[in-house]
Amino acid sequence: MTTDISSKLKSYGELAMDNIIHFAPKVLLAAIILWIGFKLINRVGKLVSNTLEKVQVSETLRPFISSLVETVLKISLLLIGVSILGAKLSGLITLVAAMGFAVGIALQGSLGNFASGILILFLKPYEVGDWIQIDDKFGSVEEIGIFSTSLITPGSKTLIVPNAKITDDVVTNYSKKGIVRLELNIHIPYSEDFPNVKQIIEKELTKLPNILNEPIPEIGIENFDSHNILLAVRPFVLPDEYWKATFETNEAIKRAFSENGIKVAYSEGVELGSIGK
């Protein structure tokens, strides 16, 4: 019995030694290739990042692309290492493909946002700091992410807008041209002298520091209602001064109307009323 045990141990030892002798060179070769490969991949990642920076790709997109390239190269390198050890890759590749398909189905919505994020970062319909409107959502762009865009509203609320919604909708960029036009409306009765009212408004606009002299503010009659005239006041301002300039302009016009005895028509009826300070 002792002889049988000894014989088996000897047999196992010889088998282990044969396997070590057989696999040791392959393991060593795979380790060397992986070590050198990972170092080269890190350099490739830095090279890709520097290249993207030179061609002025978005700061948000650069690390993502570099990381994606490095990940693909590392997976490929690992597959090469496994193949050197003698494993068959066909089954492994099939498994990875099946897992990728399942993950793709599960993350269909997220992938749509991801694809839209790539388009936004490449096409740059807006940039961080721009004032934009998406549907009825208005705000300043705080961050452009891969899956969503963050907006800060004038009321300091943070809006997280999925990128797929942005690419599927109309985006109004108020900052693209560097200036934005205020669109204000005022009701006056038919009895008021329009040239006089226009002159009063023009004079007030020149006093406001946030109203630009160029382009020249536009003031005109937009529409005739049943009991009043609708005036359009269209001065130009810097995008960041949009709301401040809106409030200042409305306040200045109200004060000027009061000081000059200009009456307004209430939309609820034909009765005329004076304006207080």
Side-chain angles (χ1 to χ4, degrees):
M1 181 139 192
T2 304
T3 305
D4 291 340
I5 294 175
S6 229
S7 178
K8 287 183 179 180
L9 288 175
K10 184 179 179 181
S11 176
Y12 290 149
E14 291 175 353
L15 180 61
M17 186 59 67
D18 289 341
N19 287 331
I20 291 173
I21 294 173
H22 178 72
F23 283 106
K26 294 183 177 181
V27 172
L28 181 60
L29 177 61
I32 293 173
I33 289 177
L34 291 176
W35 182 71
I36 296 174
F38 279 121
K39 283 188 172 293
L40 291 176
I41 289 172
N42 290 333
R43 291 188 179 182
V44 169
K46 292 179 181 179
L47 178 62
V48 170
S49 181
N50 292 335
T51 303
L52 294 174
E53 184 176 0
K54 288 181 180 178
V55 297
Q56 298 183 338
V57 174
S58 167
E59 291 182 7
T60 306
L61 191 57
R62 286 204 302 266
F64 171 77
I65 294 179
S66 299
S67 177
L68 181 63
V69 171
E70 288 183 23
T71 301
V72 171
L73 291 176
K74 286 177 181 178
I75 291 175
S76 301
L77 183 62
L78 288 173
L79 291 176
I80 292 173
V82 171
S83 67
I84 290 174
L85 295 176
K88 293 184 178 180
L89 297 182
S90 57
L92 182 60
I93 293 175
T94 303
L95 178 61
V96 171
M99 291 176 62
F101 178 76
V103 171
I105 294 297
L107 300 177
Q108 188 172 3
S110 297
L111 290 176
N113 289 324
F114 167 77
S116 298
I118 297 297
L119 286 176
I120 291 170
L121 291 169
F122 268 116
L123 300 179
K124 297 182 179 179
Y126 52 81
E127 298 178 355
V128 173
D130 286 356
W131 286 93
I132 66 172
Q133 181 171 338
I134 305 164
D135 195 12
D136 60 343
K137 307 296 187 296
F138 176 79
S140 174
V141 179
E142 181 183 38
E143 181 182 359
I144 305 173
I146 296 297
F147 296 99
S148 63
T149 294
S150 298
L151 304 180
I152 301 296
T153 69
S156 296
K157 297 178 181 178
T158 300
L159 302 179
I160 308 298
V161 185
N163 285 333
K165 177 177 177 58
I166 296 173
T167 54
D168 289 341
D169 212 331
V170 176
V171 179
T172 303
N173 190 328
Y174 292 89
S175 302
K176 195 73 173 179
K177 298 297 183 180
I179 58 174
V180 60
R181 189 179 71 174
L182 303 185
E183 300 190 2
L184 310 178
N185 292 105
I186 303 168
H187 295 85
I188 64 171
Y190 282 93
S191 59
E192 288 293 347
D193 182 15
F194 170 68
N196 179 48
V197 172
K198 180 179 179 180
Q199 186 178 17
I200 291 172
I201 296 174
E202 288 176 338
K203 184 178 179 181
E204 287 302 313
L205 292 179
T206 60
K207 299 178 182 178
L208 300 177
N210 292 316
I211 299 299
L212 301 177
N213 295 324
E214 292 291 338
I216 298 174
E218 301 172 353
I219 303 172
I221 297 175
E222 182 172 316
N223 197 10
F224 297 96
D225 288 341
S226 59
H227 55 273
N228 62 52
I229 298 174
L230 181 65
L231 300 186
V233 181
R234 304 290 186 260
F236 291 84
V237 301
L238 298 177
D240 288 341
E241 306 298 334
Y242 182 89
W243 288 108
K244 184 178 181 181
T246 296
F247 299 146
E248 289 178 347
T249 303
N250 284 330
E251 181 181 348
I253 292 175
K254 179 181 183 299
R255 181 177 59 251
F257 278 12
S258 175
E259 293 173 352
N260 290 273
I262 304 297
K263 295 182 178 180
V264 298
Y266 297 105
S267 58
E268 291 81 4
V270 296
E271 181 182 357
L272 303 182
S274 299
I275 299 179
K277 292 185 179 179

